[in-house]
Amino acid sequence: DTAVSQTPKYLVTQMGNDKSIKCEQNLGHDTMYWYKQDSKKFLKIMFSYNNKELIINETVPNRFSPKSPDKAHLNLHINSLELGDSAVYFCASSQDPREVETQYFGPGTRLLVL
Amino acid sequence: QKEVEQNSGPLSVPEGAIASLNCTYSDRGSQSFFWYRQYSGKSPELIMSIYSNGDKEDGRFTAQLNKASQYVSLLIRDSQPSDSATYLCALTGTASKLTFGTGTRLQVTL
């Protein structure tokens, strides 16, 4: 069983489109995250939810909107996609916000905006 | 100045040698330090964590932390071709938010 799963794995789309990425974890963790890794491998946190509540919201364009319907799911919706949004987006989860050692990453979603 | 700095590499070492990966950071309030390994096309995986000054050993891996110098390193002994990957240094401050460096690419040659 996959601990943290993301769909889709690959996403190719045109500028201006709206797209969503879904994430699910079956680890029973309370905290979930979205990270963005750019072409230079720089990995940066975007959002974090703890028990469905937003606890970290980095300086991210408001075209990005996370949604957590329950503790096991954290989705990311992106409006009006831009070329610069092309990156790998990783979902992760951890036992709680302080237990960084338990943070487990999903396989990533490779987004290419044309 | 970047919060976490790493040499992007590639760092090339022959099989069996010691690979030394280095990381410096700017925030003196940083509390916990981590090394992640990321194979090409895969997600990062945690391989070491260190919280206090000194050395911490786990198998072939040794993490070293010097808070006064704001420096953390990872040594890989008896390097294997399977160690070829990008190694990401990361840390947390009071916010428990992971901040990553840009990673060092390690190539272990036969």
Side-chain angles (χ1 to χ4, degrees):
Chain A
D1 267 350
T2 305
V4 180
S5 59
Q6 294 180 228
T7 53
K9 286 187 178 177
Y10 301 95
L11 189 49
V12 181
T13 188
Q14 299 287 331
M15 265 196 328
N17 283 350
D18 303 339
K19 290 292 178 187
S20 291
I21 308 172
K22 295 187 176 183
C23 178
E24 177 180 1
Q25 55 96 1
N26 63 7
L27 296 167
H29 286 168
D30 286 346
T31 310
M32 296 186 72
Y33 310 80
W34 278 111
Y35 288 86
K36 178 182 179 181
Q37 187 169 44
D38 63 23
S39 57
K40 295 184 179 177
K41 289 287 196 179
F42 183 51
L43 186 62
K44 188 169 167 55
I45 192 166
M46 301 172 70
F47 302 103
S48 175
Y49 273 73
N50 186 52
N51 275 321
K52 302 194 298 175
E53 289 200 21
L54 183 66
I55 57 170
I56 294 176
N57 185 355
E58 291 294 288
T59 308
V60 175
N62 57 16
R63 298 182 294 104
F64 290 79
S65 52
K67 280 191 175 52
S68 182
D70 55 57
K71 277 192 339 180
H73 296 85
L74 180 60
N75 304 323
L76 183 64
H77 187 76
I78 316 170
N79 287 327
S80 303
L81 278 155
E82 299 178 358
L83 295 177
D85 297 332
S86 296
V88 182
Y89 292 84
F90 287 102
C91 177
S93 72
S94 66
Q95 195 75 33
D96 71 39
R98 296 158 300 174
E99 295 191 35
V100 175
E101 277 207 32
T102 65
Q103 195 167 135
Y104 191 88
F105 285 83
T109 294
R110 283 142 188 84
L111 172 64
L112 178 61
V113 183
L114 303 174
Chain B
Q1 184 190 6
K2 287 183 186 169
E3 292 181 69
V4 183
E5 300 241 23
Q6 295 181 255
N7 188 320
S8 60
L11 172 66
S12 187
V13 299
E15 184 177 5
I18 295 175
S20 178
L21 303 158
N22 304 315
C23 173
T24 58
Y25 59 95
S26 58
D27 184 0
R28 283 196 173 274
S30 300
Q31 297 179 345
S32 305
F33 303 85
F34 306 91
W35 284 98
Y36 286 79
R37 178 177 62 202
Q38 187 175 23
Y39 292 113
S40 181
K42 300 294 185 183
S43 56
E45 56 176 324
L46 180 66
I47 54 171
M48 287 291 285
S49 58
I50 187 165
Y51 303 101
S52 54
N53 282 330
D55 294 1
K56 179 182 176 184
E57 189 175 315
D58 184 1
R60 295 186 296 113
F61 298 100
T62 298
Q64 299 174 317
L65 176 60
N66 184 326
K67 288 188 178 181
S69 301
Q70 294 173 246
Y71 176 94
V72 58
S73 65
L74 179 71
L75 301 178
I76 306 174
R77 288 181 298 284
D78 188 23
S79 295
Q80 301 297 309
S82 58
D83 295 326
S84 298
T86 296
Y87 289 80
L88 304 171
C89 174
L91 53 82
T92 61
T94 52
S96 295
K97 177 186 76 171
L98 270 175
T99 299
F100 285 87
T102 49
T104 298
R105 190 156 66 92
L106 173 66
Q107 290 178 339
V108 179
T109 57
L110 295 171

